[in-house]
Amino acid sequence: MTLTDERRLTQLQWLESEAIHIIREVAAEFERPVLLFSGGKDSVVMLHLATKAFWPAPVPFPVMHVDTGHNFPEVLAFRDATVERLGLRIEIVEVQDYIDDGRLRERSDGTRNQLQTQPLLDGITDNKFDAVFGGGRRDEEKARAKERVFSLRDEFGQWDPRNQRPELWNLYNGRHRPGEHVRVFPLSNWTELDVWQYIAAEQIALPELYYAHQREVFERDGMLISVSDVSQPRDGEVVEKRQVRYRTVGDMSCTGAVESDAVTVDDVVVEVAATRITERGATRADDRASEAAMEDRKKEGYF
C-alpha cells in the first residue's frame, strides 16, 4: 500500500468530512443557527456529526422539534434522553397548540405531517433563527434532489427552486436579507445506505423501532400501519401481529412499517443495500398525495 492510498479517504470518511465542514461553516457564518431534531435516524446522525464537529466543546446551538402530537412514543423518549445526555437546549413547537386555538384545523384523513409547516415557520421566526439544519437527503425524493446544501428561504419561509445559488468547489453563500433564512442540509450527498453504514461504523444508538420487532399492524394503501390511538383500522382492515421495522419515522398515522428480519444494524445494512425504492417512497403516505406533493409543501415552507 502506498502513502497515497493510506491518505485517501473512504466514502464514509469523505461524507463525514464534508458534513462537518458544512456544520462548522454555518456556526461561523450565522448568528442564530438551530438543528431540527426529531429522534429519527437522519437527525440523530446529523446531531452526532455536530457533536464531533465541536468536540470537546458542546454543540454551540440549540435543537428544535415540531411535535405533531402523533409521533411514536419511543422516538420522543429517545429524543428527550439524547437532549438530556448532551446537555442541549431544545425548542419544541406543538401542532396541538395550533389546533386548540384555531390556527390550524385537523385534516379529514386524521394525519398531521402536513400541518407542520406553520408551526415550523413560527418557531423559526419567534426564535430569530437564521440558519436551520435539516436531515434531508437528495436520494429521498425528487424535490429534495433539486435542493442546494444552503437553501435560501424568503421572508415567508418559502422555497423558490429557481432562486437557488450555485455551489461550486464547496463554497456556500449564506447571505440573506432581514427576515429571510437559510435551510442547511449537511447530509445532502448521503444515501440511505451511507447513513446506515455510518451508524454501524460509529455505533450510533437509535430508537428500537428501526430494528425488527413484533407489532400489531393493518394494511392500508399497500403500507403496514401500526395500531395506535391515532391510527385505527377501518372496516375491512385486518389487524395482524407481524415482525416489522421502520425505515423512517414521522406521523404514526401516515408512516408505514416494512416486514423485516433485520434485528441488528448489520442486518439493516444488508437489507437496505438490496432495496430499490427510497424509504419515503415506500413508507410515507403524505408523499403519495400527488407527484409534486413534497415540492408543493417545500414551496409553502415545509422542510
Side-chain angles (χ1 to χ4, degrees):
M1 180 180 292
T2 66
L3 184 61
T4 302
D5 291 332
E6 290 177 351
R7 290 178 176 175
R8 185 176 293 131
L9 297 179
T10 66
Q11 169 75 357
L12 286 183
Q13 288 171 334
W14 186 90
L15 289 170
E16 179 190 66
S17 177
E18 179 191 52
I20 287 176
H21 166 68
I22 291 165
I23 292 168
R24 288 173 174 167
E25 282 287 303
V26 170
E29 189 171 346
F30 291 84
E31 294 183 2
R32 294 181 63 85
V34 67
L35 186 147
L36 289 187
F37 182 67
S38 65
K41 71 179 187 308
D42 296 311
S43 67
V44 170
V45 167
M46 191 166 54
L47 182 57
H48 179 83
L49 289 162
T51 302
K52 292 189 76 170
F54 303 105
W55 184 264
V59 176
F61 40 75
V63 298
M64 181 168 70
H65 182 213
V66 180
D67 187 349
T68 66
H70 289 180
N71 297 98
F72 290 91
E74 48 267 68
V75 177
L76 294 181
F78 182 89
R79 177 202 68 186
D80 294 342
T82 301
V83 166
E84 182 177 0
R85 174 172 58 83
L86 296 177
L88 301 172
R89 177 169 69 87
I90 185 170
E91 299 288 342
I92 300 176
V93 187
E94 303 276 359
V95 170
Q96 187 64 52
D97 292 342
Y98 283 70
I99 294 172
D100 290 344
D101 63 21
R103 284 176 289 175
L104 290 174
R105 296 173 61 184
E106 290 276 19
R107 291 167 48 88
S108 59
D109 61 7
T111 65
R112 290 187 177 180
N113 259 21
Q114 295 183 349
L115 299 182
Q116 293 180 87
T117 300
Q118 192 57 52
L120 170 64
L121 294 177
D122 288 347
I124 293 170
T125 301
D126 293 347
N127 290 284
K128 297 182 172 58
F129 294 133
D130 54 358
V132 184
F133 289 106
R137 308 187 321 267
R138 288 173 176 150
D139 76 315
E140 289 183 280
E141 199 274 338
K142 291 181 291 186
R144 288 185 166 175
K146 298 180 182 179
E147 195 120 41
R148 299 287 194 269
V149 174
F150 275 36
S151 180
L152 181 67
R153 302 300 173 104
D154 65 20
E155 63 271 25
F156 303 106
Q158 297 174 335
W159 176 63
D160 181 356
R162 296 169 298 181
N163 185 28
Q164 299 297 308
R165 297 153 175 172
E167 293 177 341
L168 305 175
W169 307 294
N170 291 335
L171 297 176
Y172 305 108
N173 183 354
R175 292 182 181 179
H176 58 284
R177 302 185 189 92
E180 297 177 338
H181 69 275
V182 176
R183 308 278 175 93
V184 182
F185 302 98
L187 305 184
S188 284
N189 293 323
W190 297 52
T191 65
E192 183 185 10
L193 182 58
D194 292 326
V195 169
W196 277 104
Q197 288 177 330
Y198 188 73
I199 289 167
E202 295 286 302
Q203 299 181 334
I204 300 172
L206 291 178
E208 286 300 315
L209 51 65
Y210 278 108
Y211 303 102
H213 59 284
Q214 293 290 320
R215 183 178 289 257
E216 288 191 337
V217 296
F218 56 91
E219 188 167 344
R220 177 179 296 166
D221 299 328
M223 297 189 303
L224 297 176
I225 305 296
S226 176
V227 176
S228 70
D229 292 341
V230 299
S231 52
Q232 290 292 318
R234 300 167 183 163
D235 291 342
E237 294 177 338
V238 179
V239 175
E240 298 178 286
K241 196 162 192 177
R242 298 196 196 179
Q243 181 160 290
V244 299
R245 75 174 191 88
Y246 285 85
R247 293 176 66 188
T248 179
V249 293
D251 188 325
M252 292 179 68
S253 58
C254 66
T255 303
V258 295
E259 290 193 273
S260 174
D261 295 321
V263 296
T264 68
V265 64
D266 292 329
D267 293 339
V268 174
V269 169
V270 172
E271 185 177 275
V272 171
T275 190
R276 292 296 177 265
I277 184 169
T278 69
E279 66 261 50
R280 294 195 72 93
T283 64
R284 293 294 283 269
D286 50 328
D287 291 344
R288 298 182 178 186
S290 72
E291 280 292 315
M294 176 62 80
E295 182 157 342
D296 291 342
R297 291 161 68 194
K298 289 174 73 66
K299 288 178 179 178
E300 295 171 357
Y302 182 71
F303 235 86

